[in-house]
Structure formats: C-alpha cells, structure tokens
Amino acid sequence: MKVVALVSGGKDSCYVMMKCIQYGHEIVALANLLPVDDSVDELDSYMYQTVGHQIIVSYAECMNVPLFRRRIRGSSRHQKLSYQMTPDDEVEDLFVLLSEVKRQIPSITAVSSGAIASDYQRLRVESICSRLGLVSLAFLWKQDQTLLLQEMIANGIKAILVKVAAIGLDPSKHLGKDLAFMEPYLLKLKELYGSNVCGEGGEYETLTLDCPLFTNARIVLDEFQVVLHSPDSIAPVGVLHPTIFHLEKKGNPDSDSLEEKKEPGLVFEVQGDGPNTPESTRQPDNGTVEHTRNRVHLSKTEKENTFSICCWLEGSSESSTGLKEDLETVLTEIESQLLKQGFKWQNVLYIHLYISDMSEFAVANETYVKFITHEKCPFGVPSRSTIELPLVQAGLGKSYVEVLVANDQSKRVLHVQSISSWAPSCIGPYSQATLHKGVLHMAGQLGLDPPTMNLRNEGAIAELNQALTNSEAIAEAFRCSISSSAVLFVVFCSARTEESERNQLHETFVSFLDLAKSSRRRESNVLDPIFLYILVPDLPKRALVEVKPVLYVQEDSETDDETKQEQLGEGDYSCWGYKPEKWHQDCVQKRVVDGKICVTVLSISAEVMKKKLHEPSGEEGKQLERVTRFCVYLLNKTLSENSFTWQDTTSLRIHFSTSLGVSVKVLSDIFETAFKELNEMSHEGRVGDSKEPTFNLVPVLGAGNSSASLDNIITCELFSLRS
C-alpha cells in the first residue's frame, strides 16, 4: 500500500515508517500538525506531540518525500474515549490535513501512526481513516515496550529527549541526551517506579535526528534552550527548544553541510476547513420487505435482558433474488424487530452472518455496512463471525442472520481497526470481542498473520495455531487467557481441509492450550472448555479453519463450583417414556460456571440414531420425531438438574446435517411440536408462548466433538445465563 505517515518527530512515528517498509508498503508522503504560533513549543493537546516541531520541516529533505503540514486550530473538545465528529476539535485538523493529502495524492490508501498503548489516540486516527476510506497502520501497537525500545535503537533510530515529565528525569540533566545513552537509565526507572520505558505514560518525548529512512541527510542540532514548565521537586517538567540546527548530507563526504532551509517543492501547508462530510444514514427499503414478507421467518429466545433473534428466508435459489436483496431483507426485518421491542443496533452484542456463497463475501459486507455502522453503535459495534452454509440445500434463501441482543449498555467492546503486529485488525463495523455480563464473545478468528493480514499458507494446522495465537492476544486485552477462561470453542472446518489434517486439529488445539497454561502463572480457576467442530462449505479468505471462542471473565466473583452445580437437582425429569441411562451422558457436554452460566452441547451421531434411537416402524418422519424428542428431553434434564430454566436461555442453536435430507421448515415443525409437548407435560420446563420458535436451526455439512469425527446429524448448542 502507498502510505502517508503521521510524523511528530518522535521515535515511534519514525520507527513505524521503518516497519511499513519492512512489510512491503511505500511511504509516499508525510503529514504533521504544528502550533499556530511557531514560537510555542507545546500545546495542551491530548493528541499531538509538538515539541521540536521547528525541525520537522527538514524531514521532507532528509527523506526526499513531500511533507504536508497544518496548523492546529482546534482543541480537545470531545474527550470521551471513542471519538465522534466534533466541530472545532483538534482531531478535525487531522481530518482536513489528510483530506488534502488524499486529494493531491489519490493513490494513497493507508496512514501510519506510532501508537503503542494509547487507545485515545489510536481510536481517533482510526475514526479519521474510516471517514476517508483509508487503512490505519499501527505496527507498534501492543508491543512490549522494553523490547521495542531495544529494537528501535538497534535498528538505527537516533533520537534525543526533548521533553521530560516524570520522577527520576531532570530537565537540566536529561534533555538533549541520546536515546541509546538513556536506555539503561530508563530501564532502571521502570524497575524503581514502574515507568513506561517508551514514554507511553507521558514520561518523556523524543525527536529523531537520524534513521535509516533519512537517505539524503541527517539533522544536526547545534544549539538549544531548556525551558522549565514546572519546577516540581519530584517530577519537574521541561522541554527542549531548538535554536540552531543544520542538515548534513549523506552519501558524499566532501559535500558541505546544508543550512537550515525549507524546500518549497517538498513542503505544503494545508489551509481551509476541508470538505463537508455529513454522515450518511440508510433508510430501510420497506418495499423489499413487503414483497418478501411471506418468505421471512424469525426465531427468538425469551430471556428478557439477553436474547437472540434469528431471521432467514424460506425458498430455493430460484425464488431468491440474490444475496444482496436477501441480506437487505433479513437485516431490515431484524432492524424492525429490534425497534418493536425498543432496541437498536447499538444493543446488539454479536452477529452471526451466514451466507450461501463465500465468493460473494464482498457483496455481503457492502450490504452489512449499510445497516451496522459506528454512528448507529456509539457504545461499540458488535463482534461478528461470517460462515458459508449450505442454505439453499436446506430450503433457505441466500442469507441468514442471528443477533445476540442485550437490554442495557454495559457491554465493553474491543475494536482495533489498525493493522499491527498484535492481532488481526477489524477494518469495518465489527469488533474483535465484546464483553457483557462476564461473558466474552470473540469474533471468529482466522489464521491471519496480523501485520500482513495474509492467511497462513502452510495448511490447516498452521492456520489453527495462528488463529489461537490471535485469540490469545485478544483475550489478554481483557486480562484473561483462552487456556483458562474459555467455556466453549466452536471450530468451523472448511470442506476443503484435507482429512489427514482435519484429524489432527483437535490434538493440535489441546496441545496449544496445554502449552499456554504452562507458560502462565498458576491460576486458581482453570475452566475445562467444551469443543464443537462444525464442517462447512467455505470460510472467509478461503481459510481452512475459523475459531470462535466464548470466555468467562470473572468480575468480583467467588471461585466457581461446578461440582456443586451438578449435584443440585435429582428429580424425576422423565418424559416421552425416556428414563436416565448411562449412555445418555455420552451425548452431552456441559459446563456450569459460578452458577451463572450453563453451556450444553448435545450430540446425536448417526450411530446413536441407528442403535439407540431406532424407530421400530422404520418411518423416516417418526424417526426424526423420536430424535428431536430425545434432544428436548435431554436438554430439559440438563437444565433442570443444574437449577437453570428455559427462561435463562440466551441462545439455542440446533446444527443439523444436510445429509438428513430435510428442509428447515420440516425440521422446525418437528422441534416446535416437541417443545409444545414438553410444555404440556411439565410447567417447570415451560418453553415460550411466542409465535416464533425459540431455537435457531443451522444447516451444516457435519459436526462433532472432535475434528476426527464429524458425523453428528443433530447437534444442539445451548447457552444459558442466569441474571
């Protein structure tokens, strides 16, 4: 990509340019913001480093790259973490600056910044990039600061301290000192006081005088003044004001040193207020909905504060008007259902986006972003997974959407759009993870190499390891680990995966978790997760594996007592003549955590159906009735035994194999009948009185508890959350 680099003069903004080059990008322009008054060293800015701005003009000649500069007219008006367009805010100066760069150099597609740990700055750069259709590159994000400092120095960053504001740093002693000289002392301050060795806590700022990207010349600072801002006896604050400097040519030792100068052909000052960019809002196409109303179907769980809504279209490929139209209809219907109940997209925690053909992923995404936007989700956009399913085979349209909804705004969202070395970016309105009521819903993770965003090409095992590494990085942002906090892993396997590799996936998964556990300090509570493997036709980017973890993040809770929960109920849960038998437990995986969460995966394999649930009459319809009744019986028994009810259900996903040869409509009717019969037999197990079913039927190619055995014909995935 062609990149415009945000440069403050600091070590971070220069080193991230070097990382851009390393990953194959090209720096074609520089952008810098400076005070209105040249004599002012530092502004009261939450966003920009301006100390040393007098020297930045020389970067254009040092790199032989055009430099675009703008005077900062705004101030920090919008101080909440997530930024929204605010007139006269200093962030809008960055928008005007980058708008002009993009106008003059239309080939630019990305912006680099030196963000390491500041969410405040990263989110604002990402907001501007989103508005301008640019990609944010932040290759230093979340990197270990001690290692990063060593790396910068080792790779030729020559920088000096130009501001100090921390205990142990003295303006009279340390301003103007070289970063390499200061490194041991900065590490010592970290040990003594917990200081950030890269200055991310505002401890110090730097000015880069030379680096490998300065191919034409280096900057030599001849004279400077120390300006004391605060004479505090513990942590005095001071800045360096450059008075005389010159450029020293590289490559020709006989050339004369250059005087300070400004290259008119390389330096541009950006004026004006910039283009008007009103945010567009989409009006639902009610005509489309009415035209297909007879095809729209819904399901909804009945838990009041956290529930799921699913929408699909009945019909074959012949009756479908196309993925775009089908998805618009489905999303419009869900939007309508949310509004009827007093909710909006901002209440959505997670979205499962199922499509019939992954080659149309771009079309699906373009349609999706018309509905789910940052403007509609001020508390954070929902996390998402996108899967290709055999929808048409099951008698559905070309799109199928499930949303998890909460009736409050207590969710905490992690949405990093910048490309970095930390974890794959989410460029668009979907987040890496969403935490709500102690449950961390993580977006589907592919085996993407974060800095390149390329899929690992060594096969399914390599993809799985990378996907798990990415999942762990996201979990660590919430101070937990997939090795100790996961309650459920859903692993989607592409049908293109070689069977030999598919058979090794589960063993690889377990080995990764065991290694992660051993590398962490002993933890008092380590959960034993449930695994569910699902075989699907295809995945985004033609990936072979996608991992969707669900974690429990303890919030002021006592230690979990799973044993206690399992012993709570010993009543008579028999119905339809079923009595507890030992083999029933082989069909059920369940995890009960802190008495708050009950996750159940019920698996009915072809062998179980043939040997244990055989219908004597041999009638196919009767056989399915027998299987669905057994599923409902066993799910009801599991909930009741652990003191949960159907009203605690946030989602009930029933994956069924297309090898059954039945449509969603037929199977839905059979399950609805089974639940109705359960209600009639036991009020304690009552499941809903609504017109819509409370379960979500998902057609798949196969499923299983292990990647080596995906022969389940029906797999029930039940998630219950006690308020």
Side-chain angles (χ1 to χ4, degrees), residues 237-304:
V237 178
V239 300
L240 178 151
H241 176 76
T243 53
I244 302 175
F245 66 94
H246 68 275
L247 300 185
E248 192 175 81
K249 272 285 190 180
K250 288 184 177 180
N252 184 358
D254 297 326
S255 65
D256 296 329
S257 295
L258 299 174
E259 295 181 1
E260 172 193 353
K261 65 178 182 178
K262 183 178 185 178
E263 285 286 342
L266 285 176
V267 180
F268 306 88
E269 183 154 345
V270 177
Q271 306 285 349
D273 297 325
N276 228 345
T277 57
E279 303 296 341
S280 61
T281 57
R282 182 194 174 280
Q283 296 299 321
D285 183 0
N286 292 326
T288 303
V289 179
E290 292 303 322
H291 178 69
T292 58
R293 177 67 66 181
N294 61 328
R295 296 179 58 217
V296 175
H297 294 267
L298 290 166
S299 67
K300 179 185 173 297
T301 54
E302 295 195 319
K303 186 174 175 62
E304 291 184 359

Side-chain angles (χ1 to χ4, degrees), residues 578 609-620 622-623 626:
Y578 289 115
M609 185 173 78
K610 180 180 178 181
K611 295 183 177 180
K612 302 292 186 180
L613 298 171
H614 178 65
E615 169 60 36
S617 69
E619 292 183 37
E620 187 175 335
K622 294 290 185 182
Q623 179 70 69
R626 186 177 178 86

Side-chain angles (χ1 to χ4, degrees), residues 24 69 104 211 220 240 250 269 324 381 465 550 714:
R69 308 189 85 188
Q104 292 200 34
C211 75
V220 178
L240 178 151
K250 288 184 177 180
E269 183 154 345
K324 178 178 180 294
V381 287
N465 276 310
V550 180
I714 290 180

Side-chain angles (χ1 to χ4, degrees), residues 176-410:
K177 291 294 189 293
D178 184 76
L179 188 63
F181 173 81
M182 290 295 297
E183 181 189 12
Y185 188 64
L186 293 172
L187 292 172
K188 182 180 178 181
L189 293 182
K190 177 189 175 184
E191 294 179 6
L192 290 174
Y193 309 116
S195 302
N196 293 278
V197 295
C198 281
E200 282 299 289
E203 292 86 349
Y204 69 92
E205 291 178 359
T206 59
L207 179 65
T208 302
L209 301 178
D210 194 14
C211 75
L213 297 182
F214 290 7
T215 54
N216 282 2
R218 64 178 60 86
I219 302 167
V220 178
L221 181 60
D222 300 304
E223 294 182 15
F224 63 85
Q225 296 175 344
V226 172
V227 180
L228 193 63
H229 280 192
S230 170
D232 188 281
S233 59
I234 298 176
V237 178
V239 300
L240 178 151
H241 176 76
T243 53
I244 302 175
F245 66 94
H246 68 275
L247 300 185
E248 192 175 81
K249 272 285 190 180
K250 288 184 177 180
N252 184 358
D254 297 326
S255 65
D256 296 329
S257 295
L258 299 174
E259 295 181 1
E260 172 193 353
K261 65 178 182 178
K262 183 178 185 178
E263 285 286 342
L266 285 176
V267 180
F268 306 88
E269 183 154 345
V270 177
Q271 306 285 349
D273 297 325
N276 228 345
T277 57
E279 303 296 341
S280 61
T281 57
R282 182 194 174 280
Q283 296 299 321
D285 183 0
N286 292 326
T288 303
V289 179
E290 292 303 322
H291 178 69
T292 58
R293 177 67 66 181
N294 61 328
R295 296 179 58 217
V296 175
H297 294 267
L298 290 166
S299 67
K300 179 185 173 297
T301 54
E302 295 195 319
K303 186 174 175 62
E304 291 184 359
N305 55 7
T306 311
F307 55 90
S308 62
I309 300 176
C310 181
C311 183
W312 68 95
L313 300 177
E314 182 183 345
S316 63
S317 57
E318 288 76 16
S319 62
S320 172
T321 52
L323 174 61
K324 178 178 180 294
E325 293 77 10
D326 282 6
L327 184 55
E328 282 184 348
T329 300
V330 166
L331 290 173
T332 300
E333 183 63 29
I334 290 179
E335 190 171 66
S336 174
Q337 291 297 318
L338 289 171
L339 289 172
K340 283 180 182 178
Q341 297 174 64
F343 301 118
K344 298 179 181 179
W345 288 111
Q346 67 184 26
N347 294 95
V348 175
L349 306 174
Y350 200 95
I351 297 180
H352 288 86
L353 175 60
Y354 302 130
I355 59 178
S356 62
D357 186 352
M358 195 56 70
S359 67
E360 294 190 271
F361 177 80
V363 174
N365 226 24
E366 288 172 8
T367 307
Y368 180 93
V369 299
K370 293 177 183 177
F371 289 81
I372 296 91
T373 65
H374 297 283
E375 292 70 37
K376 292 181 181 179
C377 304
F379 305 103
V381 287
S383 301
R384 188 184 86 179
S385 61
T386 305
I387 308 294
E388 178 182 321
L389 293 180
L391 300 178
V392 176
Q393 288 175 252
L396 300 173
K398 294 189 175 181
S399 68
Y400 188 146
V401 176
E402 179 188 349
V403 298
L404 182 65
V405 187
N407 70 349
D408 60 37
Q409 294 300 335
S410 63

Side-chain angles (χ1 to χ4, degrees), residues 482-628:
I482 62 171
S483 65
S484 57
S485 300
V487 293
L488 173 66
F489 288 107
V490 179
V491 186
F492 297 100
C493 303
S494 167
R496 296 183 302 105
T497 308
E498 295 289 339
E499 187 174 354
S500 58
E501 278 203 302
R502 193 187 302 159
N503 293 340
Q504 300 175 48
L505 288 177
H506 187 66
E507 183 180 341
T508 302
F509 206 133
V510 173
S511 297
F512 183 98
L513 295 181
D514 288 343
L515 184 62
K517 287 176 187 175
S518 64
S519 65
R520 294 173 65 86
R521 291 178 294 182
R522 181 178 295 274
E523 300 183 45
S524 57
N525 296 321
V526 177
L527 302 178
D528 184 17
I530 292 173
F531 294 90
L532 173 57
Y533 291 85
I534 299 176
L535 187 64
V536 298
D538 205 358
L539 295 167
K541 293 183 177 286
R542 303 232 74 197
L544 300 175
V545 178
E546 180 173 333
V547 179
K548 184 167 72 75
V550 180
L551 283 67
Y552 174 59
V553 181
Q554 294 182 347
E555 299 172 316
D556 302 322
S557 62
E558 301 297 325
T559 58
D560 62 297
D561 188 352
E562 187 167 329
T563 304
K564 179 181 177 182
Q565 293 300 325
E566 290 182 356
Q567 294 175 346
L568 281 174
E570 296 184 359
D572 180 13
Y573 307 113
S574 61
C575 51
W576 292 297
Y578 289 115
K579 297 287 185 180
E581 295 186 44
K582 188 175 181 180
W583 68 269
H584 291 181
Q585 298 309 309
D586 297 332
C587 300
V588 178
Q589 297 181 82
K590 75 170 184 297
R591 294 295 176 268
V592 180
V593 185
D594 278 358
K596 299 177 182 177
I597 296 172
C598 180
V599 183
T600 306
V601 172
L602 168 61
S603 304
I604 306 297
S605 66
E607 183 180 5
V608 167
M609 185 173 78
K610 180 180 178 181
K611 295 183 177 180
K612 302 292 186 180
L613 298 171
H614 178 65
E615 169 60 36
S617 69
E619 292 183 37
E620 187 175 335
K622 294 290 185 182
Q623 179 70 69
L624 273 178
E625 288 178 12
R626 186 177 178 86
V627 171
T628 54

Side-chain angles (χ1 to χ4, degrees), residues 15-29:
Y15 191 57
V16 78
M17 286 194 288
M18 294 174 62
K19 299 297 285 186
C20 287
I21 302 297
Q22 177 186 330
Y23 289 117
H25 306 299
E26 179 186 1
I27 307 297
V28 297

